[in-house]
Amino acid sequence: MKCAIVTGASRGIGKAIAIGLAKDGFQIVVNYLNNERKALETVAECEVYGVKAIAVQANVSDYEACRQLVSKAKETFGSIDVLVNNAGITKDNLLLRMKPEDFTNVIDANLTSAFHMMSFVTPIMLKQRSGRIINISSVVGIYGNKGQMNYAASKAGLIGMTKSAAKEIGVRGITVNAVAPGFIQTEMTDVLGDTFKETIIQNTALKCLGEAEDIANAVSFLASEKARYITGQVIQVDGGLSL
Ligand code: NAD
């Protein structure tokens, strides 16, 4: 049975991705930062689909922690077939008010983390001569957003990383793609005011916010055999926000 690692999978989009891949028959490594109870809930919801899942604590901003996370996954399931770099944070502020640590923390959690995970997973996939890497970017990484310079830089960086890795490792049958969500209803976006949400809805062709499952469905497709010939791409799942 194939194995998928999903970072930051105790809630929100990561949780929906883990459950979606479990439905597709993958054994799941649910990575979490600090909420073990919620991570175990994700594990239980994955196992409903008859696959084995484990929760592994790791701060993906930390290189050594990623080494241990990947080795735990390999030791438990024997292969790593899919890596979804989903973990992410926001620390929004206008450029003139942004503290240096708010910039570097966001880059570390959203971008450097993906480099860490890909560093340890890629050698395994190269040996297997197969694999799927899916990076969760954002429309903000493509179009920018006021007050999110740090976040936009991290998400744009993920796109550059996706395309470069696709060129480097495609020769061994490994695909690397990014999904760029628009505004999706999760705890990350719960903090935004109703007026802001209404503006987003009005600017979205489909006139509604997205659900975590909308992102999970795109990830399931990219992880599947049907997406065999797609690599280095950024799929926007944003209800037409960017049109
Ligand atoms: P969320 O805050 O609900 O979930 C993010 C998860 O990542 C949390 O469980 C958190 O603990 C985990 N995490 C953060 N830093 C980590 C670290 N260093 N190590 C391990 N885990 C860590 O947010 P979400 O809305 O589910 O977002 C998931 C991803 O989708 C993020 O990368 C986010 O940037 C991206 N995204 C979300 C939206 C949206 O509208 N919600 C839009 C575009 C992109």
Side-chain angles (χ1 to χ4, degrees):
M1 214 182 251
K2 290 185 169 184
C3 156
I5 302 179
V6 185
T7 67
S10 62
R11 69 182 207 187
I13 293 172
K15 178 176 184 174
I17 291 171
I19 294 170
L21 291 174
K23 266 188 207 168
D24 298 337
F26 287 93
Q27 321 209 64
I28 308 292
V29 177
V30 174
N31 159 250
Y32 69 99
L33 182 59
N34 47 31
N35 197 333
E36 185 183 22
R37 185 182 57 78
K38 285 205 146 198
L40 291 174
E41 279 172 21
T42 307
V43 164
E45 288 188 52
C46 288
E47 289 189 333
V48 165
Y49 297 98
V51 299
K52 189 168 158 36
I54 56 167
V56 183
Q57 193 283 333
N59 176 354
V60 291
S61 297
D62 184 284
Y63 188 68
E64 200 43 47
C66 291
R67 183 201 302 278
Q68 287 171 20
L69 166 60
V70 172
S71 93
K72 177 76 185 167
K74 177 80 166 69
E75 185 188 298
T76 310
F77 294 121
S79 69
I80 298 171
D81 303 283
V82 176
L83 165 66
V84 184
N85 286 309
N86 164 80
I89 57 170
T90 52
K91 281 188 191 292
D92 299 350
N93 220 331
L94 295 172
L95 163 60
L96 294 180
R97 294 191 193 139
M98 191 173 286
K99 296 193 188 104
E101 59 269 29
D102 290 344
F103 189 84
T104 44
N105 288 347
V106 169
I107 297 291
D108 288 349
N110 299 5
L111 178 62
T112 315
S113 59
F115 160 69
H116 292 161
M117 290 301 293
M118 286 163 74
S119 302
F120 296 118
V121 162
T122 304
I124 297 168
M125 290 183 171
L126 287 172
K127 246 191 202 165
Q128 292 170 183
R129 293 187 165 269
S130 67
R132 299 273 196 269
I133 298 172
I134 300 153
N135 295 319
I136 307 302
S137 177
S138 167
V139 289
V140 169
I142 303 170
Y143 304 101
N145 199 20
K146 280 184 199 165
Q148 288 201 305
M149 203 186 67
N150 49 0
Y151 185 79
S154 72
K155 296 299 185 179
L158 274 177
I159 293 173
M161 196 184 273
T162 298
K163 294 183 183 199
S164 304
K167 286 189 175 182
E168 274 191 41
I169 59 182
V171 68
R172 293 278 183 101
I174 303 163
T175 68
V176 190
N177 290 290
V179 173
F183 280 79
I184 309 298
Q185 303 193 70
T186 67
E187 288 176 55
M188 183 179 269
T189 48
D190 274 353
V191 293
L192 304 169
D194 285 346
T195 321
F196 183 81
K197 283 187 191 165
E198 197 44 47
T199 310
I200 295 295
I201 290 169
Q202 286 319 314
N203 287 324
T204 302
L206 294 177
K207 301 289 176 225
C208 60
L209 299 178
E211 307 281 343
E213 288 69 25
D214 295 319
I215 307 307
N217 289 338
V219 170
S220 274
F221 169 65
L222 288 172
S224 76
E225 193 46 36
K226 288 183 180 166
R228 183 188 80 85
Y229 204 56
I230 300 174
T231 196
Q233 301 305 304
V234 185
I235 299 189
Q236 291 181 216
V237 182
D238 64 2
L241 174 69
S242 50
L243 294 175

